[in-house]
Amino acid sequence: MILTVTLNSALDVTYRVPRLRPHASHRVSAVGERPGGKGINVARVLAALGHPVTATGFAGGPAGSLVRELLAASPGVVDALVPCAGTTRRTVAVVDEASGDTTQFNEPGPLISAEEWAAFLARYADLLAGARAVALCGSLPPGVPVGAYAVLVRAARAAGVPVLLDTSGEALRRGVAARPEMIKPNAAELAELTGSRDPLPATRDARRRGAHAVVTSLGPDGLLAATAQGTWRAAPPRALSGNPTGAGDSAVAGLLSGLVEGLDWPDRLARAVALSAATVAAPAAGDFDPRTYEEVRGSVKVTAAQ
């Protein structure tokens, strides 16, 4: 199975309004609730691709209970979340139906105690025994050490399990030094890590900092990958309109599934770009539009980057 870790899981709440106007009251036309957080989004996409997947992290309070209830209804995803005393955060997305734009509000997450962190580490060690690959995704909740991902990367490497790390800031800086198999920053996260806003040298710089491979998300322009086998750009055939929330998580699922299946890098990147595009065309994070995925995958342009 593939293991996804979402230390700061969330209850994703989506409001749809006819038009979003500052300083005004709004009548909500539709409300949606889903289990969320980057790793849980990744887990749902992996399951849709046919991979056995287990999701772990923390869940607590009424929101955490609802996350687990909704996760139980997600086909193919095994719930291995660790209970915590605090309440799982909510993320609120407000979709402006007139423009298609989304405004996001992200709560910080529950305070995790030292005892809860130790319980998670024990669960993680048990789960690694049956894992073929691990995705470490998203922000750290309060109380979790800033070097947490470095600890988790080293534990996976000791167990012989490849790791994809998708986080930002100091957690990424420390995590990449632990030498994960892959990291997937976006352009802003890459610039923060390396100090360079030029994606190609910055991606190569990030690889020199410890990751075996660095795949940078360039938004609608696709992906840029620096690996031991070469450097590639992968771009969709056209720009797609829709909601980009979760597109990066779908790219992670594409990269990780490609790793497990032994695909070469161009095929991994084509899958990741197609899944990302298909997520933009879907109504919610953690979903992708199958028709768009099949249409785009065969048309992704993958070229060597110099």
Side-chain angles (χ1 to χ4, degrees):
M1 60 88 176
I2 298 176
L3 177 64
T4 72
V5 175
T6 314
L7 295 176
N8 209 6
S9 64
L11 176 65
D12 288 345
V13 181
T14 301
Y15 294 148
R16 303 187 72 88
V17 298
R19 186 180 297 276
L20 182 61
R21 300 185 305 275
H23 317 299
S25 296
H26 296 78
R27 188 175 297 278
V28 176
S29 59
V31 180
E33 293 181 324
R34 299 170 64 86
K38 294 177 71 65
I40 290 178
N41 293 337
V42 171
R44 282 201 300 269
V45 175
L46 285 168
L49 292 172
H51 286 276
V53 59
T54 297
T56 190
F58 291 104
S65 295
L66 185 52
V67 164
R68 303 192 79 162
E69 179 184 329
L70 295 170
L71 195 60
S74 299
V77 180
V78 175
D79 173 4
L81 294 167
V82 175
C84 63
T87 296
T88 293
R89 68 189 177 123
R90 295 167 299 170
T91 67
V92 179
V94 182
V95 179
D96 183 327
E97 294 178 325
S99 67
D101 292 337
T102 300
T103 301
Q104 191 91 10
F105 301 88
N106 296 326
E107 297 178 358
L111 178 65
I112 303 300
S113 70
E115 292 77 16
E116 289 165 343
W117 175 237
F120 171 81
L121 289 176
R123 175 71 60 87
Y124 179 71
D126 289 343
L127 292 169
L128 282 176
R132 298 180 65 192
V134 178
L136 304 176
C137 302
S139 61
L140 301 177
V144 171
V146 70
Y149 282 136
V151 171
L152 300 183
V153 169
R154 285 193 290 267
R157 290 187 64 222
V161 181
V163 178
L164 189 157
L165 176 62
D166 183 14
T167 188
S168 61
E170 188 62 22
L172 174 59
R173 190 179 306 279
R174 298 196 187 196
V176 73
R179 302 187 61 78
E181 183 70 22
M182 196 184 325
I183 63 171
K184 195 215 69 63
N186 61 32
E189 292 161 350
L190 181 70
E192 184 181 9
L193 175 66
T194 65
S196 171
R197 295 194 174 276
D198 187 337
L200 183 55
T203 297
R204 288 170 170 160
D205 179 16
R207 185 167 177 264
R208 287 191 291 269
R209 291 168 185 258
H212 293 194
V214 178
V215 181
T216 302
S217 173
L218 303 177
D221 294 328
L223 299 173
L224 173 64
T227 79
Q229 289 73 45
T231 303
W232 291 274
R233 293 182 185 269
R238 67 183 190 281
L240 292 172
S241 61
N243 181 2
T245 305
D249 304 332
S250 292
V252 168
L255 293 168
L256 205 59
S257 62
L259 169 66
V260 168
E261 294 172 29
L263 299 183
D264 62 20
W265 270 105
D267 285 341
R268 290 188 210 178
L269 294 169
R271 175 182 289 181
V273 167
L275 282 170
S276 182
T279 298
V280 172
D287 285 339
F288 65 91
D289 180 69
R291 181 177 298 179
T292 302
Y293 170 60
E294 294 299 334
E295 175 189 341
V296 172
R297 186 179 180 189
S299 304
V300 173
K301 184 177 182 181
V302 182
T303 56
Q306 301 299 325

